[in-house]
Amino acid sequence: MQAIADAVQAQRAFFRTGSTLDIDFRITQLKTLRDALLRYENRFYEAFRADLKKPPMEVFGTEIGLVLTEIRHHIKKLGKWARPTRVPTNLLNFGSRSRIYHQPFGVVLIMAPWNYPLQLALAPLVGAISAGNCAMLKPAHYASHVSELIRTMIVEVFDPAYVSAVTGDRAVNQALLEERFDLIFFTGSPSLGKIVMAKAARHLTPVVLELGGKSPCIVAKDAKIEVAAPRIAFGKFINAGQTCVAPDHLFVHRSVKAPLIAKIRDWIIRSYGTDPQASADFCRIINTRQFDRLVTLMRSAGAIVHGGRVDREDRYIEPTLIDDIHSGDPIMQEEIFGPLLPVIEFSHLDEVIDMINAGEKPLAMYFFGSTVADRDRLLRETSSGGGCINDTIMHLSNPNLPFGGVGNSGMGHYHGKFSFDTFSHHRAILEKTTAFNPSVAYPPYKQKLRFLRSFLS
């Protein structure tokens, strides 16, 4: 699409003016984004209601509020982050000074998914602006009301040669990926991440891939069930389970399985009532394609011990607990991304570790228990992008922690300074003295090897 090609070239021209290198300019743009988000707040509540039937509390807590926190953090810290960093110089370079200069890549592409369409578009944008880049933003097509409102807001407040937003379907995505960017930041599924990475490889464009996976939650026999149940249920059923770091499935020790299921069931009823479809606080599935996939998974194996009611026209699936699940069942072969919680009973931690390591590395892992040795063993013998001990999903709310995946769940990370670093090239510069000029490294070498080894070994 010629319009997209022209927009990329306009951003390259703007970047070459050097305007984005000024720290005050970046801070002003961050404040502009913050003010616009606050002005559009009520309109975003309406858009989220139309796309996901998402309640305002969840919209602010998981979308708007997280972006505002990120902006505030960057405004406060940017001056320090952007300064050249002095680092020690080794003896071989005696008399020299070593610095790391933090420079923007140039023109970056940010592609966001539909499940948290505002936060996962604007949080990376904060990092791109903070680091001094121009940015092209592609919000999610499926969350059409939110995406169109993001585009409207961006067009209103930013020069398109600096920050622009384009909406559309798969054809627009393909056109964007045909262009050459200086960095691509993609959030979505592993299968789409592979496509993005392959397209980027043609230009050796660096990529940040925020993907997903089957994030396990482990409940040990000494876990505090009255604490674990609400925290697991909250992390699972917020946004109707359409969360990349939601507890995908539950490993629970056989001695506490029954009381844990009972407590989670109680939490669901207390939070959403006996008929969650009538609750103003429970979201809907994004579209019928996802709805049909989830219903098939729900009915594929195990025994439903709570929930199970569905309404295709309303795209409603009740918060559902499924017991007697085994590792070979269909629901364990793909990321669920919905309000279905499979329960797998275990007797020994070895079983859990083996099952986790048999699959792809997940985006998150959660452990509930009081035994430090069990916690440390899980952290030592498994791998995940991040996670929590005695909680779920909340690690992503701390801007001082990096957020990202590992292996099949992604590469690269962001949030807070990690966003600034991700969208920056860290340029290493050695400034050498001219007061003297040691000749040990220069030919003729003769007997210099012994002297050189004393410095380098």
Side-chain angles (χ1 to χ4, degrees), residues 214 248-251 297 300 325-336 342 344 355:
K214 294 185 72 63
D248 181 90
H249 51 283
L250 187 61
F251 293 110
L297 288 179
S300 64
I325 292 295
H326 301 90
S327 59
D329 291 337
I331 200 169
M332 293 301 295
Q333 307 311 308
E334 63 181 86
E335 185 177 7
I336 295 170
I344 302 173
M355 281 189 278

Side-chain angles (χ1 to χ4, degrees), residues 313-383:
E313 184 176 349
D314 191 28
R315 294 179 282 118
Y316 165 75
I317 297 178
E318 186 176 9
T320 299
L321 306 178
I322 309 173
D323 196 7
D324 298 327
I325 292 295
H326 301 90
S327 59
D329 291 337
I331 200 169
M332 293 301 295
Q333 307 311 308
E334 63 181 86
E335 185 177 7
I336 295 170
F337 226 63
L340 313 176
L341 184 58
V343 179
I344 302 173
E345 180 182 301
F346 75 92
S347 299
H348 303 286
L349 197 59
D350 290 352
E351 304 167 48
V352 175
I353 292 173
D354 288 345
M355 281 189 278
I356 292 173
N357 290 336
E360 299 285 0
K361 296 178 181 179
L363 184 56
M365 185 182 73
Y366 307 113
F367 172 70
F368 288 83
S370 303
T371 302
V372 173
D374 289 345
R375 177 202 70 189
D376 291 347
R377 187 181 174 202
L378 274 167
L379 293 177
R380 182 176 64 251
E381 297 184 19
T382 66
S383 178

